[in-house]
């Protein structure tokens, strides 16, 4: 065996500490811990287990306090082993033996801890927060806008992982890209979007699939695809993307307009602009896009037919991809972002007759409130989106409805 369960638990406890105590994202935390670890043939199991432990942190912390009388990170990592190892580790004998060892010193049986969780039912925020492992502020925000049954389905679905792939028709036709993809993976077509498939099973991690390495298939969340579909890019359109880097949505605009739109991509960050140039080139969209570094709050330029504003935000809707968001949703940053979003949206409306506004956020302060503050007509752009929290000023995507991140998307016209 290449590693022991004790070693796995120590590693995961350190990652949990970096995320929960120091506020790092999962990948930063993982890389930091890995740097100071002995070299292993592969860290894949350690990464997958770290991801899962961060995703289930609040539940595991509760369980650790019942099982071991402690919510120290080591105890939380041990609780991971007891409740989650069966689902993630292949060596069933090892899992059974090690669980038995851990439970020898436990104060309660795993089922008893679960029964105690049911005892929290009277307090909906605490119960849902512990059961599905979300910061109580995420739960209370959702409960103030959606019925409890729906919130529960949303939270449960948010603990699943979906990998959507968009076929990059700038590089290959759909049949050819699918042939290459299906040689290594099983995919399910999206029922309505012909260039999108859901990855079901793959011989290797998505980034190593041949079709992905050749940029014929691009991992992209469905919510991000809906934002671009809301813009309905057409050949001949003049389109400006005002918060464009690293360019995922810009490249889809180029794809949907069949490379025949005039596209300008703007971003404030020099570093991200340079990444965007590189990415657009790799995706085959470089020749169709003019890249500009500018502050989109103040940018003055000729008029466009359409503008996309995929605004900077708290990313509180990104919990399916970034489990650290469930521990640290940073909702307190919303007022700062809301101010920035309003300034960006006002300027967007001065540059184009039609603006699609998108944010990866569960907060109305970054969604409904922003679009109603600017005095333009705002509407839900696509029938497939769920209703917005208030009125029909936009639509929302949710994990339990769309198998996607949680976005707010609106189309505005002067
Ligand atoms: C959500 S990200 C955009 C992601 C991108 N649309 C994509 O799909 O790849 C928001 C972007 O807004 C940029 N940004 C922040 N403030 C800005 C400003 N005042 N003007 C232009 N871009 C800004 C950030 O640098 C960041 O790249």
């Amino acid at each position: 065996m290449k590693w022991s369960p004790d070693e796995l638990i120590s590693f995961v406890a350190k990652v949990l500490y970096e995320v929960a105590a120091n506020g790092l994202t999962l990948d930063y935390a993982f890389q930091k811990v890995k740097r100071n670890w002995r070299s292993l043939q592969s860290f894949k199991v350690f990464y997958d287990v770290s991801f899962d432990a961060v995703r289930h942190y609040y539940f595991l912390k509760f369980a650790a306090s019942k099982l071991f009388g402690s919510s120290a990170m080591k105890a939380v990592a041990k609780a991971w082993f007891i409740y989650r190892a069966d689902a993630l580790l292949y060596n069933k004998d090892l899992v059974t033996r090690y669980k038995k060892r851990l439970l020898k010193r436990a104060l309660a049986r795993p089922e008893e801890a679960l029964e105690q969780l049911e005892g929290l039912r009277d307090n909906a925020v605490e119960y849902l927060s512990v059961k599905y492992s979300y910061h109580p502020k995420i739960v209370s925000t959702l409960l103030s806008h959606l019925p409890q049954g729906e919130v529960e389905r949303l939270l449960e679905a948010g603990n699943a992982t979906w990998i959507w792939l968009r076929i990059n028709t700038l590089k290959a036709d759909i049949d050819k890209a699918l042939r290459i993809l299906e040689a290594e993976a099983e995919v399910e077509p999206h029922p309505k979007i012909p260039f999108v498939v859901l990855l079901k099973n793959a011989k290797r991690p998505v980034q190593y699939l041949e079709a992905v390495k050749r940029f014929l298939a691009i991992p992209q969340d469905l919510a991000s695809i809906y934002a671009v579909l809301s813009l309905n890019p057409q050949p001949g359109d003049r389109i400006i993307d005002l918060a464009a880097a690293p360019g995922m949505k810009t490249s889809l605009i180029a794809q949907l307009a069949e490379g025949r739109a005039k596209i300008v991509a703007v971003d404030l960050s020099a570093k991200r602009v340079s990444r965007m140039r590189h990415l657009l080139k790799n995706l085959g969209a470089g020749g169709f896009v003019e890249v500009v570094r500018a502050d989109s709050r103040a940018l003055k330029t000729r008029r466009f037919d359409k503008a996309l504003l995929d605004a900077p935000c708290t990313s509180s809707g990104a919990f399916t991809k970034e489990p650290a968001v469930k521990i640290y949703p940073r909702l307190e940053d919303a007022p700062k972002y809301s101010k920035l979003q309003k300034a960006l949206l006002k300027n967007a409306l001065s540059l184009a007759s039609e603006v699609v506004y998108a944010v990866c956020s569960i907060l109305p302060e970054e969604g409904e409130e922003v679009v109603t503050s600017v005095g333009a007509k705002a509407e839900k752009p696509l029938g497939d989106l769920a209703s917005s929290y208030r009125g029909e000023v936009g639509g929302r995507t949710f994990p339990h409805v769309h198998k996607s991140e949680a976005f707010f998307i609106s189309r505005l016209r002067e």
Side-chain angles (χ1 to χ4, degrees):
M1 202 206 342
K2 298 165 208 89
W3 47 263
S4 70
D6 280 337
E7 187 182 14
L8 176 66
I9 281 175
S10 300
F11 188 97
V12 170
K14 283 188 190 299
V15 173
L16 284 169
Y17 178 80
E18 293 299 343
V19 175
N22 288 342
L24 298 192
T25 60
L26 174 75
D27 282 0
Y28 270 107
F30 176 77
Q31 290 305 337
K32 187 173 170 188
V33 177
K34 184 179 161 208
R35 261 199 307 279
N36 298 312
W37 213 256
R38 77 179 176 96
S39 103
L40 290 178
Q41 205 179 35
S42 160
F43 275 90
K44 182 168 182 331
V45 171
F46 280 40
Y47 181 83
D48 291 348
V49 172
S50 300
F51 188 105
D52 197 66
V54 172
R55 175 176 264 177
H56 295 283
Y57 174 69
Y58 283 109
F59 166 71
L60 296 171
K61 192 173 156 202
F62 172 87
S65 71
K66 306 297 169 201
L67 295 180
F68 306 115
S70 160
S71 46
M73 297 304 171
K74 203 75 183 260
V76 176
K78 286 179 184 168
W80 178 87
F81 205 95
I82 286 167
Y83 289 97
R84 304 282 311 160
D86 282 318
L88 263 90
L89 302 181
Y90 290 114
N91 187 338
K92 300 299 169 211
D93 283 351
L94 173 124
V95 171
T96 311
R97 263 184 285 123
Y98 196 72
K99 262 167 68 170
K100 221 171 172 176
R101 208 180 103 193
L102 289 176
L103 286 169
K104 252 189 205 150
R105 275 164 274 159
L107 308 172
R109 285 179 295 115
E111 312 80 72
E112 284 168 339
L114 293 178
E115 279 157 30
Q116 292 188 41
L117 167 63
E118 288 308 304
L120 301 178
R121 262 189 188 276
D122 287 347
N123 180 336
V125 172
E126 195 185 1
Y127 175 67
L128 294 174
S129 163
V130 173
K131 183 166 183 191
Y132 298 107
S133 286
Y134 289 80
H135 193 289
K137 279 198 214 158
I138 298 184
V139 177
S140 57
T141 300
L142 291 169
L143 282 174
S144 59
H145 301 292
L146 300 169
Q148 185 169 332
E150 177 158 20
V151 171
E152 188 154 0
R153 288 200 299 281
L154 191 166
L155 299 176
E156 187 176 13
N159 284 337
T161 300
W162 300 279
I163 300 175
W164 291 99
L165 291 165
R166 147 196 155 205
I167 304 304
N168 181 9
T169 55
L170 291 173
K171 286 258 180 184
D173 64 49
I174 295 183
D175 287 347
K176 180 181 168 201
L178 279 180
R179 260 199 315 279
I180 297 171
L181 191 56
E182 285 174 335
E184 294 180 302
E186 190 192 322
V187 297
E188 183 183 296
H190 187 280
K192 291 191 181 165
I193 313 174
F195 59 87
V196 173
V197 296
L198 182 62
L199 190 63
K200 303 293 281 184
N201 274 309
K203 284 188 184 157
R204 51 193 110 258
V206 62
Q207 67 272 29
Y208 300 123
L209 295 174
E210 187 61 22
V212 174
K213 284 197 293 184
R214 287 166 58 185
F215 304 105
L216 309 178
I218 307 165
Q220 186 167 15
D221 192 81
L222 200 55
S224 162
I225 290 168
Y226 278 130
V228 179
L229 288 176
S230 299
L231 196 69
N232 188 22
Q234 294 294 321
D237 278 347
R238 289 163 305 163
I239 300 176
I240 185 159
D241 186 346
L242 289 160
M248 289 301 288
K249 295 187 188 66
T250 313
S251 62
L252 180 55
I253 293 173
Q255 167 174 334
L256 294 179
E258 297 158 18
R260 288 187 282 137
K262 166 83 201 150
I263 304 169
V264 176
V266 187
D267 203 278
L268 183 59
S269 154
K271 212 164 132 194
R272 288 171 70 90
V273 161
S274 122
R275 260 181 73 199
M276 170 156 68
R277 284 209 169 92
H278 195 69
L279 183 74
L280 290 174
K281 194 166 157 236
N282 282 337
L283 300 185
F288 309 124
V289 181
E290 183 189 339
V291 174
V292 175
R293 188 190 157 223
D295 186 336
S296 294
R297 284 171 294 189
L299 183 70
K300 293 292 165 233
T301 171
R302 59 190 186 281
R303 294 269 308 172
F304 288 81
D305 301 309
K306 295 171 182 171
L308 175 65
L309 176 57
D310 180 33
C313 65
T314 55
S315 299
S316 55
F319 46 80
T320 57
K321 296 261 158 59
E322 174 50 78
V325 168
K326 300 177 71 199
I327 302 178
Y328 272 122
R330 304 201 187 287
L331 304 184
E332 64 284 1
D333 291 341
K336 180 188 84 183
Y337 280 117
S338 183
K339 194 167 160 221
L340 174 58
Q341 290 153 355
K342 285 174 190 169
L344 286 164
L345 184 56
K346 269 189 197 139
N347 201 40
L349 286 161
S350 79
L351 297 176
S353 345
E354 191 177 309
V355 177
V356 167
Y357 173 81
V359 266
C360 181
S361 170
I362 56 163
L363 296 174
E365 294 91 320
E366 299 188 274
E368 288 82 349
E369 274 180 29
V370 173
V371 297
T372 44
S373 74
V374 290
K377 189 178 166 298
E379 61 189 8
K380 180 164 111 170
L382 294 174
D384 284 347
L385 301 181
S387 299
S388 52
Y389 296 150
R390 292 176 214 148
E392 282 291 288
V393 295
R396 286 192 167 271
T397 62
F398 290 118
H400 65 302
V401 182
H402 303 96
K403 299 191 168 99
S404 72
E405 295 185 314
F407 264 56
F408 170 82
I409 306 172
S410 171
R411 183 172 52 218
L412 298 98
R413 294 195 176 109
E414 280 291 3

